[in-house]
């Protein structure tokens, strides 16, 4: 398991390799990549210039680590890696990786979807949209895909 | 007894206050912490606490890097050097 909250993400291919080399039982690696979108997340049609992320890094790592452990117990996945950026991120840049290794794809897809949702709703990480109209902290992401 | 309090993200900006050391004399519970905090941030304490004296539902609290469920806040007893983080609900990802 690896959780990293940092200004830079590691290279995705090396993270996948890290997981794959850890076990000979892995039959599937499922990946979510969070990318900065050019329009605001709440349907207001504002053009996003950049995002600014802030985190309680110690707590976020702890909370996400706990999510991965629970996911192993619930879905039987073999392991997972989560990385999330803090600081500024421009449109089109990647900001989050969630990588799940499992024996079969079925549990991998389930665990991945659940982990991504949990991280968005429960990990102490916050996002500010910097748009042409001003800067806005995203206060409520319930309902946003 | 000194307790460190820190605020994050939008909450920090609304309060205009990032972090500080709160001196708790006598009582060591969460309401006492809020009472002392009110002396520092004044009416803005209402951004943190609701009309019933509970923490607002759009906030979360951790003590020494452990999240505390809101019903458990009343049972908290601080020790010297504790760190309290008060944060908005997450919006990362």
């Amino acid at each position: 398991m690896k959780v990293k909250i940092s200004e830079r993400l590691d290279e995705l291919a090396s993270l996948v390799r890290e997981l794959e080399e850890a076990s000979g039982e892995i039959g599937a690696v499922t990946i979510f990549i969070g990318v900065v979108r050019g329009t605001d997340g709440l349907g207001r049609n504002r053009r996003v210039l950049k995002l600014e992320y802030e985190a309680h890094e110690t707590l976020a790592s702890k909370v996400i680590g706990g999510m991965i452990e629970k996911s192993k117990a619930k879905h039987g996945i073999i392991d997972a890696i989560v990385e999330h950026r803090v600081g500024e991120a421009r449109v089109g840049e990647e900001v989050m990786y969630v990588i799940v290794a499992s024996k079969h794809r079925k549990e991998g897809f389930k665990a991945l979807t659940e982990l991504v949702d949990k991280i968005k709703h429960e990990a102490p990480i916050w996002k500010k949209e910097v748009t042409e109209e001003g800067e806005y902290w995203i206060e409520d992401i319930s309902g946003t895909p | 007894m000194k307790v460190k309090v820190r605020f994050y993200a939008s909450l920090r900006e609304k309060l205009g206050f990032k972090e500080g050391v709160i001196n708790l004399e006598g009582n060591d519970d969460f309401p006492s912490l809020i009472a002392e905090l009110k002396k520092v941030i004044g009416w803005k304490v209402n951004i943190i606490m609701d009309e019933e004296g509970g923490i607002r539902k759009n906030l979360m609290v951790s003590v020494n890097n452990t999240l505390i469920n809101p019903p458990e806040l009343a049972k908290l007893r601080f020790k010297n050097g504790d760190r309290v983080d008060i944060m908005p609900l997450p919006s990362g990802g």
Side-chain angles (χ1 to χ4, degrees):
Chain A
M1 174 176 67
K2 179 177 172 183
V3 180
K4 180 178 163 186
I5 313 291
S6 174
E7 290 189 358
R8 292 187 63 174
L9 299 175
D10 290 320
E11 194 205 346
L12 183 59
S14 68
L15 294 175
V16 172
R17 228 171 11 251
E18 190 177 324
L19 270 181
E20 288 171 342
E21 288 171 359
S23 171
E25 295 295 307
I26 294 170
V29 177
T30 48
I31 302 172
F32 171 84
I33 303 172
V35 180
V36 178
R37 187 175 50 236
T39 52
D40 77 276
L42 295 176
R44 293 165 296 195
N45 282 325
R46 293 181 179 138
R47 192 166 85 88
V48 171
L49 302 174
K50 63 179 178 179
L51 297 180
E52 292 176 1
Y53 283 99
E54 181 178 328
H56 185 316
E57 294 178 25
T58 304
L59 187 60
S61 294
K62 185 177 172 182
V63 166
I64 295 170
M67 291 174 185
I68 294 173
E69 289 302 322
K70 282 185 183 168
S71 192
K72 284 179 179 180
K74 181 177 177 182
H75 297 291
I77 60 168
I78 294 170
D79 208 353
I81 290 176
V82 173
E83 293 201 354
H84 198 301
R85 276 173 66 180
V86 287
E88 283 188 13
R90 301 267 161 196
V91 173
E93 289 184 0
E94 297 173 352
V95 292
M96 180 166 87
Y97 295 149
V98 180
I99 311 164
V100 172
S102 54
K103 262 190 178 180
H104 308 288
R105 65 185 184 280
K106 186 178 176 182
E107 64 268 25
F109 284 133
K110 277 186 185 173
L112 179 69
T113 302
E114 191 177 86
L115 274 172
V116 173
D117 283 345
K118 280 186 168 291
I119 290 165
K120 283 176 170 284
H121 287 91
E122 297 174 28
I125 302 170
W126 305 278
K127 176 166 58 185
K128 179 194 274 190
E129 281 182 351
V130 179
T131 73
E132 290 178 316
E133 295 178 13
E135 301 181 356
Y136 309 91
W137 285 101
I138 301 300
E139 300 274 19
D140 178 7
I141 62 163
S142 61
T144 57
Chain B
M1 181 195 313
K2 295 186 192 307
V3 174
K4 191 171 184 178
V5 181
R6 187 169 186 168
F7 301 99
Y8 289 77
S10 58
L11 183 60
R12 179 188 63 246
E13 291 184 1
K14 286 174 187 171
L15 296 175
F17 184 75
K18 180 180 177 182
E19 64 181 325
V21 176
I22 301 295
N23 208 10
L24 291 178
E25 292 174 12
N27 292 325
D28 56 0
D29 55 17
F30 192 74
S32 300
L33 177 72
I34 297 300
E36 290 301 315
L37 195 56
K38 189 174 181 180
K39 295 176 187 175
V40 179
I41 63 175
W43 67 267
K44 288 184 179 179
V45 77
N46 296 328
I47 295 172
I48 304 168
M49 307 302 286
D50 62 26
E51 293 72 23
E52 283 83 49
I55 193 94
R56 290 207 179 267
K57 289 185 172 51
N58 62 340
L59 299 177
M60 45 189 207
V61 179
S62 71
V63 178
N64 301 330
N65 299 320
T66 299
L67 280 171
I68 307 293
N69 287 323
E72 301 296 310
L73 286 173
K75 299 177 192 171
L76 278 179
R77 295 295 176 267
F78 295 114
K79 299 184 298 299
N80 190 43
D82 276 350
R83 173 175 158 167
V84 181
D85 295 312
I86 304 179
M87 305 162 273
L89 291 181
S91 64

